[in-house]
């Protein structure tokens, strides 16, 4: 099962790039839209460099539904840290409730 860790690490890296591509520009609201779009596209390129191999390798260990749920857990985790640390937003109970719902999805998708 140690090989199953590699796609999870790749998905984590991919999600960091994705989160910055989608939301990082919010700290630069005075920048021209075309500049932040190009910057986001550049970051998204690196997201795909990690995301595509993650899914390709991960499909050897997980079903696509399991990969998607893993992806969502990572996305929510990365976004929560990003929004608090980078965007200086407060961690709310809604984040906690979302985590609980996602953990329910993890339970059901991996249940035999």
């Amino acid at each position: 099962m140690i090989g199953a860790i590699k796609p999870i690490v790749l998905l984590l890296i991919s999600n960091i790039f994705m989160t910055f591509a989608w939301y990082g520009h919010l700290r630069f609201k005075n920048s021209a839209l075309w500049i932040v779009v190009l910057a986001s596209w550049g970051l998204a390129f690196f997201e795909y460099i990690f995301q595509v191999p993650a899914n390709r390798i991960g499909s050897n260990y997980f079903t696509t539904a399991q990969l998607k749920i893993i992806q969502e857990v990572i996305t929510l985790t990365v976004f929560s840290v990003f929004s608090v640390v980078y965007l200086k937003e407060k961690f709310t109970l809604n984040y906690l409730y979302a985590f609980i719902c996602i953990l329910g999805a993890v339970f059901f998708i991996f249940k035999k």
Side-chain angles (χ1 to χ4, degrees):
M1 196 61 169
I2 202 80
I5 299 299
K6 187 173 184 177
I8 293 170
V9 170
L10 290 170
L11 284 172
L12 177 64
I13 296 167
S14 167
N15 267 273
I16 292 169
F17 279 107
M18 178 194 72
T19 301
F20 273 95
W22 285 15
Y23 302 103
H25 61 86
L26 295 177
R27 284 194 39 193
F28 304 98
K29 292 184 179 183
N30 292 328
S31 297
L33 185 58
W34 70 271
I35 291 173
V36 296
V37 167
L38 288 178
S40 292
W41 281 352
L43 289 168
F45 171 77
F46 291 101
E47 174 209 346
Y48 276 83
I49 286 175
F50 292 97
Q51 183 268 336
V52 171
N55 285 332
R56 178 71 61 100
I57 295 165
S59 68
N60 294 320
Y61 302 97
F62 306 107
T63 67
T64 53
Q66 289 171 332
L67 275 171
K68 183 60 181 169
I69 293 299
I70 292 167
Q71 161 76 24
E72 294 303 328
V73 169
I74 292 170
T75 298
L76 186 56
T77 303
V78 168
F79 179 77
S80 295
V81 171
F82 174 86
S83 66
V84 170
V85 173
Y86 186 78
L87 296 178
K88 309 292 188 220
E89 295 181 353
K90 292 182 180 177
F91 189 88
T92 67
L93 279 178
N94 288 346
Y95 288 8
L96 179 62
Y97 300 149
F99 274 124
I100 291 168
C101 290
I102 293 291
L103 289 176
V106 170
F107 171 77
F108 287 112
I109 204 71
F110 282 96
K111 186 173 171 29
K112 298 287 181 202

